[in-house]
Each structure stands twice: as structure tokens, then as C-alpha cells.
Amino acid sequence: MIAAVMPLSVPSSQSVSGAVLVVEHLDIGLRKTNGEARHIVIDANFSIVPGEMLALVGESGSGKTMIARAILRLLPPGVAVQGGAIRYGGEDLAHLAAARLRALRGNAIGMVFQEPMVSLNPALRIGVQMTEALRLHRGLRYDAARKHCLDLLERVRIADPAACLNAYPHQFSGGMRQRIMLASTLAMQPRLLIADEPTTALDAIVQKEVMDIMTQLTREMGTAVLLVSHDLGMVARYAQRVVVLCRGETMEMGETRRVIAEPQHDYTRKLLASLPARGERKFPAPGGTPLVEIRGLDVDFDKPTPFWRKRETFRVVRSVNLDLHAGETLAVVGESGSGKTTIGRALVRLVRESGGSIRFEGRDITNCGKRDLDAYRLKSQMVFQDPYSSLDPRMHLVDIVAEGLRHVAGLSKPERRARATAMLAEVGLTGDFTERFPHELSGGQRQRVSIARAIVAGPRFLVADEAVSALDVTVQKQVLALLESLQKKFGFAYLFITHDLGVVEQVADRVAVIYRGRILEIGSRDAIFGDAHHPYTLRLLRATPRIRRIEGGVGYCLEQHESRLRPPPADHVYFNHGSMSGQALSEGEPVMLAVGPDHYVACVANATETH
Amino acid sequence: MKRRLFHRPNARIGATLIVVMLIAAAFGVMYTPYDPIINNLHMRLVAPSALHWLGTDEWGRDVFSRLLNGASVSVLVSFSTVLVSVASGALIGALTGYFGGWPSRIVMLFVDALLAFPSLIMALGVIAVFGASSMGVIAALSLTYIPAVARVVRANVLSLREKEYVEASRIMGNAELYTMLRHALPNAVAPIIVLATALFGWALLAESALSFLGLGVPPPASSWGGMLADSRNYVSEAPWLAIAPGLAISLSLLGVNLFGDALRDEFDPYMKNLG
């Protein structure tokens, strides 16, 4: 099939003949109560053959999820298929009787959703939920269904399938639940699997595990997969063919490798160009006194205990040492629960440490008076992740930004407003934005306001906690560019907290890799990405699919991470507190050993060689 | 938002009934056709006529005048009750929700204990202490409604406290109390307003009930509940005595409830999307 430059309107006859699903001229629209109509999807055409994975890719509002939902007729109220056909085995799913559709749903067509936390019923044992569909659609007895489920749980690599069937969903992590979801969906051996952002809520390493299992099983069973995703990197790694959507219209369709290697449409090019890419090294190797020195930082959180019990705690950050130099960007990367956010929150004094010290310009701010703390507050600021909850919905934008100047001495109210207006212009919100409310803005614009509020008082450093993670790639690119130009202009340092290695590669001068509260490796960006030492860092790098521009060309390709595992420094082994699964846990405290200029890795002395 | 609110039929009907009640209350203070208190024994139990629109009661007092006067008493008592209970309940709820810790646990323990008390019985107890007067009724009803307000506000502030704009305010170096009053409490206003309309209805009903039991505003001052109570002995000869205050109570309650429902629909994003 000549997929890359094929005309979009009519699927080729070859692909239709053996296809499991054929979508033809599909139009989906929203009809409002006042009679207004709006197109959500316009003339979508694609088909999937058995064993193939086809991806719908697009930014929010592209209609990708609506297409997936239309196939199972799970559209939200007011939204309906207005034209075209969804052919599945000689039937048109768009116009099928409800009873017949129910027979197909969950039987011949399976679905995996984004949120593994809510797609399993928390009140029922896994076994009951998994066998439900088998008993309903296949009329199997519980014993037979159970045996079938055990087999599948084993195939999705659940360690103890029998115990799993007797457990409740809350006893499993997000990745395990998504695997269980996958097992129970595939237990029906569906001919078509619809996976709507199946791994978006998961960490990179877990995402890779789930996707690998999904690809392998569906290929073995010959199941056709419709993958819905915003993540071009993941799509490039797993999907054979891709449909690029923008505002409901198909921009480009074809073999994934071809589409990214030779993008035909401007939108595809824009999307690919928006992906984070390694920038120039901006910052010389740091020297001199750091702006912020974190030494031996411990943070404990309270366990929820009844008030008559003694207070119990667990440690989320363990003896962390970090230096942040003036004007540099230090990225802290790790999966959820690694404590990376807590370090940032301790730095802006939102949480109290239980041990260690934080010094700012040589002065200890963990143990200082109110006056010093107030002065420090003006020098340190934070930009949050969620653009929807980081701005007070009842305040005008100018007041939101002006509030950042409340504690700057000697400013009158008009002066504060004037400065706030100037700062809004600085972040690209000129004109009549001052008197607007947050709900009138897009996600990217809100994040700009959030940045303006943070920098209006002239801080020395900013903690950016997943500051661009909630944004679409094209918007993300703009906000990253803004952060960079502001840094150049005002010279502040960033502590960039994120799970997204692509963004890190683009913005960071130095990178710290953290796992369960401990820093495992820290070094310059080039050292971490090109010469990673700790096995966990390497695993993290390999799990993240990245798309790289082909040198000298216009196109892109999927990058395989090449660096190999390096031997640990002499007489030492890499420190392991769970990050290297299947290996002995290290005892005692790790030491950070230099393995290159300004490049350190957590090790412990090799116990086996001492005798 | 206001324009859309009045697109709802229940908002319009509710608002109309409330306005009628407020006008009646205003008249009750400023002007009534007859004196609502002075007896006129020549005119006992006269049926409704052009002279006495709603007839007279067993002491020969004009029922319409007493109804207007009663409206002012009822509205005053209900309004003050809502004001006192919402103000103190919101403060308790916001402080305990925002600051947490063991002091808030102890405060909420008392609040929950109050909540467990049947409100009318507690009101009886409070009035036994304060004596039957409008102040006594206001104190009694406020105390019974504070826990409900405190609970609702606390629940909202608990979740608002975790919002990132609240954290942003703390990072700026704003005092905790300032942050609570500037960022947390104002964003909990919508449910407070909805609850306040409901409380107004409950207070209206409870005031009538207390007056009916003889614990409300002491005679000879008129109140709807008191009028209803006095009418019991004359239901067969003078049914208008029961019908007039009965209808007044029902229609006011209906108005308040309809308006409260419309407000709730307006503030609740889930309801709004379905509409």
C-alpha cells in the first residue's frame, strides 16, 4: 500500500478487503439545545487490518477520542454521528440496533481507557469483574472462565494470577491495573481493541511495559488495535499506521515511519517541530558559590493515623544534596512518588523538612526569622502544573499578577497594577487581557499568567513543577520558548521538575535523576543523555520514545537510545534501593562518586569483593 | 450569569413570591389598614368583606393587617437567623477547614454534637433560657443552623486549600489568614448562597412552628405561626383565620425553595451542562 502520499478521501480497496474496521466519511457533530450545530469530526476515513495497530494522533480538540467513542457509540450527550459509516464485519456500527451493539461491545470489540484508577469497579474482586464478560457473552461457567483468566493474567505478566483474582483493584498500582484491564479485555479475544490514551497516566517505564505487552498479545491474537494518543513518540514506536487529526479534519494518514520521515502536511511538520529537541548547551560548567545549596535534605510525611495513635511518618526525600547556580536550569526527573515535587515544595517553603538544610545566597532559610523568610519569599517563586487551578477564578488577571508585589515595600496600588500590566505584556498577553478572568483564557495563556505572577517581583530562581506537562505540544513549545527568553533577559535559575525527558533534554543545563526520594545520578545534560551510568537512568532513557530530526533532512525518525551500561567505579556497585528490580538491595548509605567532570552517580562499596 | 438565572421559570416564580413577601413585610412595618394589635370586640369573627379583606379574628382584629405585620416579624426573624448562622458558621467552617489540626477537631466535635440534636428540641431549650421573644427565636434558630453551614463551608475550604492558587499566595509570603479570606473563602461563596436560601425557608417554617407552640414572638404581636395556632378553635366558624396564615406560609416557602433550586442549578456545573 502506498500509504504516505495516498489521497485521503477513499481508503484503498486492498486495505478494505481484509479490514476488521473500516471508517468511511465519518462526520460527528455537536447539536446544542439552542439549535446551533458544530462539527467535531469531518470526513474521517481509515481502516485497520487484523494484528495491525493504527493510531489517531492529535492535540486536544482534534476529535480523536470522539472517533474512538463513536465506534462503540459511547458519545457524550448532544454529540452524534451525522454522516458516513463505521463498517465492522458487514455491519454499520453507526446505525446498528442497540441490542446488537451490546452483543459486540466488550465481546468482539474491547476497550481500554486512560484512567486505570476508575475503569475497574473498586467494590468487586478482580476475578468477578474479569469473568463477568466471559460468562455473559460466552456463557462459560465460573470455573472455566476463571481458568481462562488465570492464563491471560499470566500472559500480561502478573506475578501471582490466582491471588490477583481474589484481590480488589485498590491493591494494585496504576500500571498493574492497566495490565489487568488489558487482560480482562483480551480475555474475550476481541477482533478489535480500542485503546484511548491507555498509558498517559503512567510513568515512562511502566508505560513501556504495558505497551510492549499490549503489542505482543494483540499481534499474537491477530487483534486490530485503534490507539488514541497525543504522544507522537509513543505512536512512532508502536503503531504501524497513523492518522494525524487537527480540529476534526484528517491532516495526513499513512505508514507511521513514512509520515514522520516525510511529513507532507504543514500541520504534521508543525507538530513534529514542536517536539522538544536537544538545544545548544547554554550554560558554562558551574563554578563558584551556588545560589541555593541543599544539604542532607530529609522530608517526612505523616501517615494517616487515628488521632489517639502515635504519629507515624514515612520518608519521601532522603538526604538529598543539590546545588542550584545562578542563571542555570537544573532538571529533577523521576517517576510519580519519587519525591521530586517535594524537593521543590520544600524549596519554596510549602513543606517543612525534617532534617538537613537549605541555604540561599549563603544564608540558612530553614531556620531563620520571619524577616529573612519574607525576604527569601520575594527571591523564590513557583510555577505550577495545572493551569486550571493555579489562578484564582474570581480575580482579574492584573490583580492576580499584582498580588505578587504585595510584599514589595514602597509600591502604591497604581504602581503595582502598572507593573503587573507590563509583566503581562512581557509574557505575551498584551491588549485587553488585564481585566479578563482566568476562565476566558486557554491553557497556554493561563500558564503565561502564572509565569507573570511568579516573576513580577524579580525572583532569583523559579521552581517549575511540571509547568508544561498539561499543555499540547505546540503550546508547550511556545511556553518553553517564553521561559527561556525570560531566563536570558532576567537571569533567574530554574529548578525544572518533570517526568518528561524530552523537555529535560531541551531545557536543562544539568539533570538530577531521583528515585524513591534519593538522587541516583546527577550531571550535565550531555553527560546524562549521552553517558548515563546508573542502570535506572538508562532504563528511564530507553523507556522514553523520542523523535529526532534526521540530520540535514526535513524529516524525523524514532531514536533508539544507544548508550550501553557502564561498569561502576572500582570497588563499588551501583546503589540499589528498588530501582534495579531483581537485584540485591544495597545496604547502608550511598556515596556520590564522580564518573566524569561534574557527573556523579550513587554507589556503595562492593561488599562481595572485600572477602 | 444573572440574566441566565432568570431564564429559569422556577427562578422567576420564586423571585416573584419572595418580592411579594418582602413588600408585605415592608407594609407591615410602615402601614397597615387597621391596627394589628388593638382589640375591637364589636367586630369579632367577621367574614371577609370589602371592609376587612380577610375578615377579623376572635378579638375583632383585622386579619389582613395582622398578616402584614406578621410578615415583617417572620422576615426579620428569618433574615437575622440566616445572617447570624451563615456568618458564624462560615467563619467556623473556614477556620477549621483551612487550618486543621487538633483545635479544629475539637471545634468540629462540638459542631457535630450540635448537629446530632433535633433542631426544634434544641430551640425549645434555648428559648427556655432566653425567654420567648424575637431575640430568643433568632438565637435558638441560629444555633441550630450553624453546624450545617460550618460543615458545608469546611468541606469546601478543605478542597480549596489544596488549590494551587492558594499555595501560590502562601509562596508570595501572604499571611495565612489573608490567604484564607482572599482566596479560599470567596471561592466557597456559591454553595454558601445556595445554603442560605434553604436556611431562610427552614427558618421561616421553624419560626412559625415555634410560634404555633407558643414559644415564638409573644402575643399580642402577630406572627403567622401564632395566628395559625389561635385559629384552631374557630376552624369551623371562621376558616379564613386558618387559611390566610396557612397560605402565606406555604407560598413564601414555595417561593424561597423554587428560588433556591434555581440558584443551585445555576451554580452546579453538572446541572448546568444538562440544561
Coordinates of all heavy atoms in Angstrom, one line a residue, chain A residues 240-290:
Chain A
Q240 N 1.8 0.9 13.5 CA 2.3 0.8 12.1 C 1.8 1.9 11.2 O 2.5 2.4 10.4 CB 1.8 -0.5 11.5 CG 2.5 -1.7 11.9 CD 1.8 -2.4 13.1 OE1 0.6 -2.7 13.0 NE2 2.5 -2.6 14.2
R241 N 0.5 2.3 11.4 CA 0.0 3.4 10.6 C -0.6 4.5 11.5 O -1.0 4.2 12.7 CB -1.1 2.9 9.6 CG -0.4 2.1 8.5 CD -1.4 1.9 7.4 NE -2.6 1.2 7.8 CZ -3.8 1.5 7.5 NH1 -4.1 2.6 6.7 NH2 -4.9 0.8 7.9
V242 N -0.7 5.7 11.0 CA -1.1 6.8 11.9 C -2.0 7.7 11.0 O -1.9 7.9 9.8 CB 0.1 7.6 12.4 CG1 0.9 8.2 11.3 CG2 -0.3 8.7 13.4
V243 N -3.0 8.3 11.8 CA -3.9 9.3 11.2 C -3.7 10.6 12.0 O -3.8 10.6 13.2 CB -5.4 8.9 11.3 CG1 -6.3 10.0 10.7 CG2 -5.6 7.6 10.6
V244 N -3.2 11.7 11.4 CA -3.0 12.9 12.1 C -4.2 13.8 12.0 O -4.7 14.1 10.9 CB -1.7 13.6 11.5 CG1 -1.5 14.9 12.3 CG2 -0.5 12.7 11.5
L245 N -4.8 14.1 13.1 CA -6.0 14.9 13.2 C -5.8 16.3 13.7 O -4.9 16.5 14.6 CB -7.1 14.2 14.0 CG -7.6 12.9 13.5 CD1 -8.2 12.1 14.7 CD2 -8.6 13.1 12.4
C246 N -6.5 17.3 13.2 CA -6.5 18.6 13.7 C -7.9 19.2 13.6 O -8.4 19.3 12.5 CB -5.5 19.5 13.0 SG -5.4 21.2 13.6
R247 N -8.5 19.6 14.7 CA -9.8 20.2 14.7 C -10.8 19.3 13.9 O -11.6 19.8 13.1 CB -9.8 21.6 14.2 CG -9.1 22.6 15.1 CD -8.8 23.8 14.4 NE -7.8 24.6 15.1 CZ -8.1 25.7 15.8 NH1 -9.3 26.1 15.9 NH2 -7.1 26.3 16.5
G248 N -10.7 18.0 14.0 CA -11.7 17.1 13.4 C -11.3 16.8 12.0 O -12.0 15.9 11.4
E249 N -10.4 17.4 11.4 CA -10.0 17.1 10.0 C -8.8 16.2 9.9 O -7.8 16.4 10.7 CB -9.8 18.4 9.2 CG -11.1 19.1 9.0 CD -11.0 20.3 8.0 OE1 -10.8 20.0 6.8 OE2 -11.0 21.4 8.5
T250 N -8.8 15.3 9.0 CA -7.6 14.4 8.8 C -6.6 15.2 8.0 O -6.8 15.7 6.9 CB -8.0 13.2 8.0 OG1 -9.1 12.6 8.6 CG2 -6.8 12.2 7.9
M251 N -5.4 15.4 8.6 CA -4.3 16.2 8.0 C -3.5 15.3 7.1 O -3.1 15.7 6.1 CB -3.5 16.9 9.1 CG -4.2 17.8 9.9 SD -4.5 19.3 9.0 CE -6.2 19.4 9.2
E252 N -3.2 14.1 7.7 CA -2.3 13.2 7.0 C -2.5 11.8 7.5 O -2.9 11.6 8.6 CB -0.9 13.7 7.3 CG 0.1 13.0 6.4 CD 1.4 13.8 6.3 OE1 1.5 14.8 6.9 OE2 2.4 13.3 5.7
M253 N -2.3 10.8 6.6 CA -2.5 9.5 7.0 C -1.5 8.6 6.3 O -1.2 8.9 5.1 CB -3.9 9.1 6.7 CG -4.3 7.6 6.9 SD -6.0 7.4 6.9 CE -6.3 7.0 5.2
G254 N -1.0 7.6 6.9 CA -0.1 6.7 6.3 C 0.7 5.9 7.2 O 0.5 5.9 8.4
E255 N 1.7 5.2 6.7 CA 2.6 4.4 7.5 C 3.4 5.4 8.4 O 3.9 6.4 8.0 CB 3.6 3.7 6.6 CG 4.0 2.4 7.0 CD 5.0 1.8 6.0 OE1 4.6 1.8 4.8 OE2 6.1 1.4 6.4
T256 N 3.4 5.0 9.7 CA 4.0 5.9 10.7 C 5.4 6.4 10.3 O 5.7 7.6 10.4 CB 4.0 5.2 12.1 OG1 2.7 4.6 12.3 CG2 4.3 6.3 13.2
R257 N 6.2 5.4 9.9 CA 7.6 5.7 9.7 C 7.7 6.8 8.6 O 8.5 7.7 8.6 CB 8.4 4.5 9.4 CG 9.9 4.6 9.7 CD 10.6 3.3 9.4 NE 9.9 2.1 9.8 CZ 10.0 1.0 9.1 NH1 10.8 0.9 8.1 NH2 9.4 -0.1 9.6
R258 N 6.9 6.5 7.6 CA 6.9 7.5 6.4 C 6.4 8.8 6.8 O 6.9 9.9 6.4 CB 6.0 6.9 5.3 CG 6.5 5.7 4.6 CD 7.4 6.1 3.4 NE 7.6 5.0 2.5 CZ 6.8 4.7 1.5 NH1 5.8 5.4 1.3 NH2 7.1 3.6 0.8
V259 N 5.3 8.8 7.6 CA 4.7 10.1 7.9 C 5.7 11.0 8.7 O 5.8 12.2 8.4 CB 3.4 9.9 8.7 CG1 2.9 11.2 9.4 CG2 2.3 9.3 7.9
I260 N 6.4 10.4 9.6 CA 7.4 11.3 10.4 C 8.7 11.5 9.6 O 9.3 12.5 9.8 CB 7.7 10.7 11.8 CG1 8.3 9.4 11.7 CG2 6.4 10.7 12.6 CD1 8.9 9.0 13.1
A261 N 9.0 10.6 8.7 CA 10.2 10.8 7.9 C 10.0 11.8 6.8 O 10.8 12.6 6.4 CB 10.7 9.5 7.3
E262 N 8.8 11.7 6.2 CA 8.5 12.6 5.0 C 7.1 13.3 5.3 O 6.2 13.0 4.5 CB 8.5 11.9 3.7 CG 9.8 11.2 3.4 CD 9.6 10.1 2.4 OE1 8.5 10.0 1.7 OE2 10.4 9.2 2.3
P263 N 7.0 14.1 6.3 CA 5.7 14.7 6.5 C 5.2 15.6 5.3 O 6.0 16.4 4.8 CB 5.9 15.6 7.8 CG 7.4 15.8 7.8 CD 8.0 14.6 7.2
Q264 N 4.0 15.3 4.9 CA 3.5 16.0 3.7 C 2.8 17.3 4.1 O 2.8 18.3 3.4 CB 2.6 15.1 2.9 CG 3.2 13.8 2.5 CD 4.4 14.1 1.5 OE1 4.2 14.9 0.6 NE2 5.5 13.4 1.7
H265 N 2.1 17.3 5.2 CA 1.2 18.4 5.5 C 1.9 19.3 6.5 O 2.7 18.9 7.3 CB -0.1 17.8 6.2 CG -1.2 18.8 6.2 ND1 -1.2 19.9 7.1 CD2 -2.3 18.9 5.4 CE1 -2.3 20.6 6.9 NE2 -3.0 20.0 5.9
D266 N 1.6 20.6 6.3 CA 2.2 21.6 7.2 C 1.9 21.4 8.7 O 2.8 21.6 9.5 CB 1.6 23.0 6.8 CG 2.3 23.6 5.6 OD1 3.3 23.0 5.2 OD2 1.7 24.5 5.0
Y267 N 0.7 20.9 9.0 CA 0.4 20.7 10.4 C 1.2 19.6 11.0 O 1.7 19.7 12.1 CB -1.1 20.3 10.5 CG -1.5 20.1 12.0 CD1 -1.6 21.1 12.9 CD2 -1.7 18.8 12.4 CE1 -1.9 20.9 14.2 CE2 -2.0 18.5 13.7 CZ -2.1 19.6 14.6 OH -2.4 19.4 15.9
T268 N 1.4 18.5 10.2 CA 2.3 17.4 10.7 C 3.7 17.9 11.0 O 4.3 17.6 12.0 CB 2.3 16.3 9.7 OG1 1.0 16.1 9.2 CG2 2.9 15.0 10.3
R269 N 4.2 18.8 10.0 CA 5.5 19.4 10.2 C 5.6 20.2 11.5 O 6.5 20.2 12.3 CB 5.9 20.2 9.0 CG 6.2 19.4 7.8 CD 6.9 20.2 6.7 NE 6.7 19.5 5.5 CZ 6.0 20.0 4.5 NH1 5.4 21.2 4.6 NH2 5.8 19.4 3.4
K270 N 4.5 21.0 11.7 CA 4.5 21.9 12.8 C 4.5 21.0 14.1 O 5.2 21.3 15.1 CB 3.2 22.7 12.8 CG 3.1 23.8 13.8 CD 1.8 24.6 13.7 CE 1.4 25.2 15.0 NZ 0.0 25.5 15.0
L271 N 3.7 20.0 14.1 CA 3.6 19.1 15.2 C 4.9 18.5 15.6 O 5.4 18.4 16.7 CB 2.6 18.0 14.9 CG 1.7 17.4 16.1 CD1 1.0 18.5 16.8 CD2 0.8 16.4 15.5
L272 N 5.6 18.0 14.5 CA 6.9 17.4 14.7 C 8.0 18.4 15.2 O 8.8 18.1 16.0 CB 7.4 16.7 13.4 CG 6.7 15.4 13.1 CD1 6.8 15.0 11.6 CD2 7.2 14.3 14.0
A273 N 7.8 19.6 14.6 CA 8.8 20.6 15.0 C 8.6 21.1 16.4 O 9.5 21.7 17.1 CB 8.7 21.8 14.0
S274 N 7.4 20.9 16.9 CA 7.1 21.3 18.3 C 7.6 20.4 19.3 O 7.7 20.7 20.5 CB 5.6 21.4 18.5 OG 5.0 22.3 17.6
L275 N 8.0 19.1 18.9 CA 8.5 18.2 19.9 C 9.8 18.7 20.4 O 10.6 19.3 19.7 CB 8.8 16.8 19.2 CG 7.6 16.1 18.7 CD1 8.0 14.9 17.9 CD2 6.8 15.6 19.9
P276 N 10.0 18.5 21.7 CA 11.2 19.0 22.3 C 12.4 18.4 21.7 O 12.4 17.2 21.4 CB 11.1 18.7 23.8 CG 9.8 18.0 24.0 CD 9.2 17.8 22.7
A277 N 13.5 19.1 21.5 CA 14.7 18.6 20.9 C 15.9 19.2 21.6 O 15.8 20.2 22.2 CB 14.8 19.0 19.4
R278 N 17.0 18.5 21.6 CA 18.1 18.9 22.4 C 18.6 20.3 21.8 O 18.9 20.4 20.7 CB 19.3 17.9 22.3 CG 20.4 18.2 23.3 CD 21.5 17.3 23.2 NE 21.2 15.9 23.5 CZ 22.1 15.0 23.9 NH1 23.3 15.3 24.0 NH2 21.7 13.8 24.2
G279 N 18.7 21.3 22.8 CA 19.1 22.6 22.3 C 20.6 22.7 22.5 O 21.3 21.8 22.9
E280 N 21.1 23.9 22.2 CA 22.5 24.2 22.4 C 22.8 24.2 23.9 O 21.9 24.5 24.7 CB 22.8 25.5 21.9 CG 22.8 25.6 20.3 CD 23.8 24.7 19.7 OE1 25.0 24.9 20.0 OE2 23.5 23.8 19.0
R281 N 24.0 23.9 24.3 CA 24.3 24.0 25.7 C 24.5 25.5 26.0 O 25.3 26.1 25.4 CB 25.6 23.2 26.0 CG 25.9 23.1 27.5 CD 27.1 22.4 27.8 NE 27.6 22.6 29.1 CZ 27.1 22.0 30.2 NH1 26.2 21.1 30.0 NH2 27.5 22.3 31.4
K282 N 23.7 26.0 26.9 CA 23.7 27.4 27.1 C 24.6 27.9 28.2 O 25.0 29.0 28.3 CB 22.2 27.9 27.4 CG 21.2 27.5 26.5 CD 19.8 27.5 27.1 CE 19.7 26.5 28.2 NZ 18.4 26.4 28.8
F283 N 24.8 27.0 29.1 CA 25.4 27.4 30.4 C 26.8 26.8 30.6 O 26.9 25.6 30.5 CB 24.5 27.1 31.5 CG 24.7 27.8 32.8 CD1 24.3 29.1 32.9 CD2 25.4 27.2 33.8 CE1 24.5 29.8 34.1 CE2 25.7 27.9 35.0 CZ 25.2 29.2 35.1
P284 N 27.8 27.6 30.9 CA 29.1 27.0 31.1 C 29.1 26.2 32.4 O 28.2 26.4 33.3 CB 30.0 28.3 31.3 CG 29.0 29.4 31.7 CD 27.7 29.1 31.1
A285 N 30.0 25.3 32.5 CA 30.0 24.4 33.7 C 30.1 25.3 35.0 O 30.8 26.3 35.0 CB 31.3 23.6 33.7
P286 N 29.2 25.0 35.9 CA 29.0 25.9 37.0 C 30.3 26.0 37.9 O 31.0 25.0 38.0 CB 27.9 25.3 37.8 CG 27.8 23.9 37.4 CD 28.3 23.9 36.0
G287 N 30.5 27.1 38.5 CA 31.6 27.2 39.4 C 31.3 28.3 40.4 O 30.2 28.9 40.3
G288 N 32.1 28.4 41.4 CA 31.8 29.5 42.4 C 30.7 29.0 43.4 O 30.3 27.9 43.4
T289 N 30.2 30.0 44.2 CA 29.2 29.6 45.2 C 27.9 29.5 44.6 O 27.5 30.3 43.8 CB 29.1 30.8 46.3 OG1 30.4 31.4 46.3 CG2 28.7 30.3 47.6
P290 N 27.2 28.4 44.9 CA 25.9 28.2 44.3 C 24.9 29.2 44.9 O 25.1 29.7 46.0 CB 25.5 26.8 44.6 CG 26.5 26.3 45.6 CD 27.6 27.2 45.7

